[in-house]
Amino acid sequence: MRDSLPMKNTSATPLEAGAKRSTPSGGLQAWLPRLVLAPSVAISLFFVYGFMLWTFVLSLTSSRMLPSYDFVGFGQYSRLMANERWWVASTNLMIFGVLFVVICLVIGSLLAILLDQKIRQEGALRTIYLYPMALSFIVTGVVWKWLLNPQLGIQAMVQSWGFESFRFDWITDPDMAIYTLVIAAVWQASGFVMALFLAGLRGIDDSIVKAAQLDGASLPRIYWRVVMPCLRPVVFSAVMILAHIAIKSFDLVVALTGGGPGYATDLPATFMYAHAFTRAQIGLGSASAMLMLGGVLAILIPYLYSELRSRKHG
Amino acid sequence: MANVIRRQTPAARLFRGLLYGVLILAALFYILPLVVMLMTSVKPLSEISAGSLLSFPQNPTLAPWTKAWGEACTGMRCDGVGGYFWNSFAIVIPAVLISTTIGALNGYALTKWRFKGSELVFALMLFGCFIPFQVVLLPMAQTLGWLGISSSRAGLILVHVVFGIAFTTLFFRNFYVGIPNELVSAAKLDGAGFFRIFWRILLPVSAPIIVVSVIWQFTQIWNDFLFGVAFSAHNTQPVTVALNNLVNTSTGVREYNVDMAAAMIAALPTLVVYVLAGKYFVRGLTAGSVKG
Amino acid sequence: MSTFKKTTLALALAGAALASTAQANEVEVLHWWTSGGEARAANVLKELMEAEGYGWQDFAVAGGGGETAMTVLKSRAMSGNPPSAAQIKGPEIQEWGELGLLGDLNGVADAEGWDELLPDVVADIMRYDGQYVAVPVNVHRVNWLWANPEVLEAAGVEMPTTLDELFEAGEAIREAGFVPLAHGGQAWQDATVFESVLLGGQGSEFYQQALVELDPEALGGEQMIDALEDFKRTRELMDEGMPGRDWNIATAMVIDGVAGFQLMGDWAKGEFTAAGLTAGEDYLCAAAPGTEDAFTFNIDSLAMFRVTDDEELEAQQALARLVLEPTFQEAFNLAKGSIPARPDLDMSEFDSCAQQSLADFQRTAEEGGLVPSMAHGMAVRADVQGAIFDVVTNYFNDADMPAEEAAERMVSAAEAASF
């Protein structure tokens, strides 16, 4: 079976690793790839790792409004650990991140499977599922804030239909508000996951499925046993993209709940912003950024490693 | 998967009915907010406060749209979001072109000209996807200051290119991995060089992934707010900044209809791109498998 | 509208010809005066500048009481090209001054006699290290109670003068079918109500000790617990839809006769004025219950940054001068709802609420009771303020948290924040 999605991560065996032709420009040709990559690598080193390092350095200082280099060891980190709001934000990221990724994967794959069944209006439906990704998170947040407003939105509408006791005021409830973030984010991103899965499904060789059918397996069983395992690369790409959205979720929180009620829907990104900028606590903000990045890498590196390594087959 | 054998029993028919039912319900869920936005943007203000969110407009009017485009107040200026539209294009188009080109060359170099450590290089570059922009705001500001391009269009374009490269490289690299190496090694045997092979062999088949990359980058950069507000001068502000100002500029009564119209205007280019090019997007993601 | 269009065209042309930062006889002003009344008011300043031949590059960044604007300002400062002037207030002016980024306005101050003109409490905030670095635009009073007289009449209540009366009136209003207290559940609004309730219930001396001096005993003691409990009680007066609501939507509830009261600073008056209502007739104003002898102030100001270009410097100085001149002071404050920063202004154009405000300002300045607003960044540093916000808003939204625990958290908030 040819698993050749553009989004996958196979390691095809390098036939021409280090191949040097004995042409006059052989030497240059060997170096050209490195030269071409060099600017991007330099940019990565400076703007990504360099900035991360700078943030780390700042997290060891007592910087307030603008950076200063007055070192205080790990004092900012201990302040962070004692900060109630930070723990709320971190827990929220766990809840939000896991729910968001899992629900998007489930909905995305389900919709893709359903759409793959020779549906008549597939193009239109696909566009409808996909378009939310085009919107900025600010727009999504604003619209969903409206829809979830008990006075103006869905609760009011259903109540006006006669269901007087219907309640959907999660957004005003400190315990439930985080789930409103999940709803809005899933709405935005699940269509994209669906597109990824659909592309993956289309790339699967029919003969394998036909063979399974001839063996007497039912359609759902085929999907579960044969198709899904082939889609592992798609799941990988989807998880990478979804994880990046979850970590960077800032605009959505600001637009949908403002971090509230209270700070019940705070996330590390908004925590960092509030402290580094609004509260002129760059030292503390940098420490929170380091922990946030550290947590993310701690989860992603093993995942990346396992996925990139297990590309020995097919 | 579309050509598998299907049985036509009554159970299968029922299943099909359920299938459509689920798909349509899902479609309603996705389209509801857009419908609300559109309906609200053509209602006069009186209807908004009187009716509920989903009530049909009784007297639809395009006045909110014209106001949002040319007259609404974004701070002290009251000339709508129209002008900022072009600012956004001026930023997005160069940034998308540059980051896509670099990503393509990177993906090509990483997959067809492997060297020791190229996988590591790729993995290292990948982490650029995960940096939250708030974290890099201040160091970026300082860097732009050193380069002398802070508060300028060039600075903002640089920022977007820098943080877009990780994604475009990811897309192109994954795509080019699926292109058989034999094509490239045959060309090398013929004596073709690095750029020639790219231009002659890879670029012609890259259309699908170029579409994917361009759509992704266009959306990300067009919808960006934070970099746009921090690194632009008052006359190079993108439309997201204008929208934020407009929505937060209320004169007593919040003009929801104008707000929604402005949000739609700001979202129009990306929406158009997704609606028109959506199928190419999926095709781009599928393309690897459609080979000879 | 044509002035706007003309100026926009001029700016666009200027912008096309020059670089993006202010040059020549121009100032670039960063602010967040974006809501209708404010924007009109700020526009007066722009026109005054232009009348004198100076240019005004407007850099409005809306949102959240200036949060985004401040982020942009810091980013600009980091990159080495701050704007000419920015809307900075309170202790934050001192922090910018410490960084050495602010310019010297003593020339203008001496020429215009600011030392004699401004009350001490105002002038102190505008100075860093003996030099004037900022110019005050207005004086807001935060401890106001706004009311809709029709709602009050329908419920048969009077304007409350103590917290207990407020709660009683609230019950009556609720029974008459209105919302007693319009409120928006955002951290700064919660804090505004909190500080007014604390001031009304415990007095200005306690306020000074707890929220300005951050005395741990005051923060953790019985009086604080009482204040917190009073504050939690106000929740009973609010409606369900209040979380996340913007302040001006809450004011609109009072304007429209949906709600009876609002506890908000005098910028709410700008909304009443914009709706064409008259003070004393269509709406009522009074000191927040229990605070007739106190005045919580919040002073907006424009801080000037150090510039090297002579022409820009000249424009900056002109800006500073024009801000404190009677023309702008009158126009701005009439539109914004605040009182002028210069007490010698003829107040006959101002409505009864403003005149009352000025009288109270002068009285409390002499007799005591003039306190800086904690909720609006006048009393303590941003990080302490933020930490207190966290405690207050969390307590307000948590049905189970007892006041004692909140008081303890206040103490640790004040400690942990100072580094």
Side-chain angles (χ1 to χ4, degrees), chain A residues 54 61-62 64-69 72 74-76 79 82-85 88 145 149-151 155 167 169 171-175 257 260-264 271 273-282, chain C residues 67-68 70-72 74-75 77-78 92 95-96 98-99 101 185-187 190 235 239-246 381-391 393-394 397-398 409 416-419:
Chain A
W54 194 74
T61 69
S62 65
R64 293 216 314 266
M65 188 160 63
L66 288 181
S68 80
Y69 296 96
V72 292
F74 288 99
Q76 299 284 16
R79 279 177 72 199
N83 190 317
E84 155 88 26
R85 184 172 157 169
V88 171
K145 179 172 168 177
N149 184 320
Q151 251 73 352
Q155 176 176 300
R167 306 207 37 110
D169 54 359
I171 204 172
T172 60
D173 180 348
D175 294 321
T257 61
Y263 48 75
F271 178 95
Y273 184 87
H275 284 82
F277 294 100
T278 314
R279 299 189 186 185
Q281 289 277 287
I282 288 184
Chain C
E67 269 185 24
T68 318
M70 284 296 106
T71 304
V72 175
K74 283 162 196 172
S75 153
M78 277 293 284
E92 213 174 327
E95 292 212 47
W96 284 98
E98 263 175 47
L99 291 167
L101 293 170
Q186 296 174 335
D190 295 341
R235 223 191 142 97
D239 67 310
E240 274 187 5
M242 65 93 175
R245 179 187 287 143
D246 289 322
R381 257 177 21 202
D383 51 333
V384 179
Q385 179 195 16
I388 296 181
F389 271 25
D390 283 343
V391 175
T393 192
N394 200 33
N397 284 294
D398 186 342
R409 290 195 184 186
S418 42
F419 205 144

Side-chain angles (χ1 to χ4, degrees), chain B residues 17-119:
Chain B
L18 235 85
L19 181 64
Y20 274 92
V22 169
L23 284 174
I24 291 179
L25 238 100
L28 283 177
F29 169 66
Y30 285 101
I31 208 148
L32 182 69
L34 185 65
V35 164
V36 168
M37 276 176 73
L38 277 172
M39 289 207 303
T40 310
S41 69
V42 294
K43 284 183 189 169
L45 214 50
S46 46
E47 268 186 54
I48 295 182
S49 27
S52 93
L53 218 56
L54 282 134
S55 51
F56 218 71
Q58 308 283 0
N59 301 311
T61 159
L62 278 181
W65 285 76
T66 40
K67 182 160 182 191
W69 179 264
E71 295 158 20
C73 296
T74 58
M76 272 163 58
R77 270 177 290 191
C78 288
D79 25 313
V81 297
Y84 299 91
F85 215 65
W86 313 117
N87 283 351
S88 280
F89 273 118
I91 296 166
V92 170
I93 293 180
V96 169
L97 288 176
I98 297 176
S99 58
T100 302
T101 312
I102 295 182
L105 286 171
N106 285 352
Y108 167 56
L110 282 171
T111 53
K112 302 302 169 210
W113 295 83
R114 286 161 175 272
F115 49 90
K116 208 155 146 196
S118 52
E119 282 295 283

Side-chain angles (χ1 to χ4, degrees), chain C residues 33-120:
Chain C
W33 286 314
T34 50
S35 90
E38 298 172 329
R40 265 201 310 277
N43 202 51
V44 170
L45 189 57
K46 180 165 125 172
E47 285 173 351
L48 287 172
M49 285 288 283
E50 282 161 3
E52 292 202 5
Y54 298 106
W56 170 293
Q57 280 191 357
D58 189 51
F59 194 177
V61 183
E67 269 185 24
T68 318
M70 284 296 106
T71 304
V72 175
L73 181 62
K74 283 162 196 172
S75 153
R76 289 281 297 265
M78 277 293 284
S79 67
N81 73 327
S84 326
Q87 189 185 343
I88 310 178
K89 64 181 181 184
E92 213 174 327
I93 296 179
Q94 312 303 314
E95 292 212 47
W96 284 98
E98 263 175 47
L99 291 167
L101 293 170
L102 299 181
D104 180 10
L105 290 175
N106 275 354
V108 184
D110 290 336
E112 301 285 310
W114 287 2
D115 282 333
E116 293 82 43
L117 186 60
L118 301 172
D120 281 340

Side-chain angles (χ1 to χ4, degrees), chain C residues 248-287:
Chain C
N248 51 343
I249 310 291
T251 316
M253 284 169 69
V254 177
I255 294 178
D256 293 337
V258 171
F261 297 118
Q262 187 187 20
L263 278 167
M264 184 51 69
D266 56 20
W267 47 89
K269 201 174 63 160
E271 299 294 308
F272 289 106
T273 314
L277 303 177
T278 321
E281 293 171 21
D282 305 317
Y283 66 95
L284 302 175
C285 60

Side-chain angles (χ1 to χ4, degrees), chain A residues 3 24 39 44 69 81 83 87 110 117 154 160 186 200 205 217 236 274 285 293-294 304:
Chain A
D3 183 11
S44 264
Y69 296 96
M81 292 294 113
N83 190 317
W87 288 109
L110 266 172
Q117 307 298 319
I154 296 181
S160 73
V186 164
D205 207 343
F236 175 73
L293 283 173
L304 247 163

Side-chain angles (χ1 to χ4, degrees), chain C residues 48-372:
Chain C
L48 287 172
M49 285 288 283
E50 282 161 3
E52 292 202 5
Y54 298 106
W56 170 293
Q57 280 191 357
D58 189 51
F59 194 177
V61 183
E67 269 185 24
T68 318
M70 284 296 106
T71 304
V72 175
L73 181 62
K74 283 162 196 172
S75 153
R76 289 281 297 265
M78 277 293 284
S79 67
N81 73 327
S84 326
Q87 189 185 343
I88 310 178
K89 64 181 181 184
E92 213 174 327
I93 296 179
Q94 312 303 314
E95 292 212 47
W96 284 98
E98 263 175 47
L99 291 167
L101 293 170
L102 299 181
D104 180 10
L105 290 175
N106 275 354
V108 184
D110 290 336
E112 301 285 310
W114 287 2
D115 282 333
E116 293 82 43
L117 186 60
L118 301 172
D120 281 340
V121 68
V122 175
D124 283 339
I125 298 177
M126 302 298 131
R127 277 191 290 241
Y128 174 72
D129 206 20
Q131 284 178 344
Y132 276 95
V133 290
V135 56
V137 172
N138 59 10
V139 175
H140 282 294
R141 184 183 194 176
V142 181
N143 58 325
W144 276 116
L145 179 71
W146 306 95
N148 183 319
E150 285 174 11
V151 173
L152 295 193
E153 209 182 299
V157 297
E158 305 269 316
M159 282 295 262
T161 53
T162 67
L163 282 177
D164 286 329
E165 284 178 24
L166 176 67
F167 291 119
E168 277 171 31
E171 268 183 50
I173 294 179
R174 176 83 74 186
E175 270 171 48
F178 304 95
V179 176
L181 188 63
H183 182 73
Q186 296 174 335
W188 71 271
Q189 291 187 59
D190 295 341
T192 303
V193 172
F194 170 64
E195 72 175 20
S196 292
V197 166
L198 185 148
L199 190 60
Q202 312 300 326
S204 55
E205 266 186 45
F206 177 72
Y207 181 102
Q208 184 80 20
Q209 281 169 2
L211 297 181
V212 183
E213 292 163 20
L214 300 174
D215 175 20
E217 278 179 31
L219 284 171
E222 276 303 310
Q223 281 184 288
M224 178 56 77
I225 294 178
D226 286 339
L228 285 165
E229 284 176 352
D230 285 338
F231 173 53
K232 196 73 162 273
R233 261 190 86 186
T234 61
R235 223 191 142 97
E236 295 162 21
L237 302 173
M238 301 173 184
D239 67 310
E240 274 187 5
M242 65 93 175
R245 179 187 287 143
D246 289 322
W247 71 270
N248 51 343
I249 310 291
T251 316
M253 284 169 69
V254 177
I255 294 178
D256 293 337
V258 171
F261 297 118
Q262 187 187 20
L263 278 167
M264 184 51 69
D266 56 20
W267 47 89
K269 201 174 63 160
E271 299 294 308
F272 289 106
T273 314
L277 303 177
T278 321
E281 293 171 21
D282 305 317
Y283 66 95
L284 302 175
C285 60
T291 67
E292 296 78 28
D293 294 326
F295 188 108
T296 320
F297 69 82
N298 171 20
I299 300 177
D300 279 331
S301 47
L302 282 177
M304 304 293 168
F305 281 84
R306 199 179 289 271
V307 292
T308 44
D309 181 75
D310 280 334
E311 289 185 327
E312 196 181 343
L313 187 62
E314 196 189 310
Q316 223 183 28
Q317 311 235 328
L319 181 67
R321 177 176 43 88
L322 285 170
V323 164
L324 264 184
E325 278 187 4
T327 326
F328 173 69
Q329 286 285 312
E330 187 169 353
F332 188 84
N333 288 294
L334 275 173
K336 190 104 171 41
S338 43
I339 57 176
R342 58 183 299 159
D344 66 342
L345 199 65
D346 173 18
M347 296 289 284
S348 49
E349 292 288 312
F350 287 79
D351 59 53
S352 52
C353 293
Q355 289 173 355
Q356 176 75 35
S357 192
L358 185 62
D360 287 341
F361 182 60
Q362 288 168 331
R363 180 167 54 92
T364 53
E366 282 170 42
E367 295 173 13
L370 182 62
V371 289

